[in-house]
Amino acid sequence: MTQPPVIVLGAGLAGWTTVREFRKLDAATPVTLITADSGDFYAKPSLSNALAQRKTPAQLVTTPAARMAETLNVTLLAHTRVSALDTAARQVVTPLGRLEYSRLVVATGAQPIRIALGGDAADAVQSVNSLDDFAAFHARLTPGARVLIMGAGLIGCEFANDLA
């Protein structure tokens, strides 16, 4: 009987770094990385200054997910969401079914806080918290477009600077 894999949830810096460091210690144990996005490796801080550097979303990817998975001997389940964890049975629940694990790493990162908004443009409000979010934002930018940035922290200021 084969040992269930180590399952890593999330393909951000924390997820891929965990896999890379684990592989330094153990090259044989099966590892499955599950991510809701493509799993491509990129530096998340680059999302807020990519416009000034005239980079497209594709240009932000430093290593494609397939290459990361091959290099680190990982089974990659891209575009797959985990709907539940069954810690008693040591399983994650996905659209592919229940997947058993020997150890579980949750490296999903933070989610943006979405406040309730009303009005005729409420559906146009976007958060930029991932490469997919940035791609959607980038696709909607047109010359002369007006953009309102909500939040004057570091990331909001970087976006304002880029757009200016």
Side-chain angles (χ1 to χ4, degrees), residues 39-118:
D40 291 332
F41 189 77
Y42 66 97
K44 192 171 184 178
S46 65
L47 297 176
S48 61
N49 57 31
L51 296 172
Q53 296 174 9
R54 300 194 187 325
K55 289 190 176 181
T56 65
Q59 291 171 320
L60 295 179
V61 174
T62 55
T63 311
R67 187 169 352 134
M68 292 289 289
E70 181 181 351
T71 301
L72 296 170
N73 188 25
V74 169
T75 299
L76 175 67
L77 300 179
H79 305 290
T80 303
R81 290 196 176 272
V82 172
S83 59
L85 301 176
D86 183 343
T87 56
R90 297 179 77 100
Q91 296 176 338
V92 296
V93 180
T94 74
L96 305 171
R98 290 177 162 266
L99 305 174
E100 192 175 11
Y101 62 84
S102 61
R103 287 175 271 175
L104 179 67
V105 176
V106 179
T108 55
Q111 296 300 315
I113 297 169
R114 299 288 309 224
I115 59 172
L117 297 171

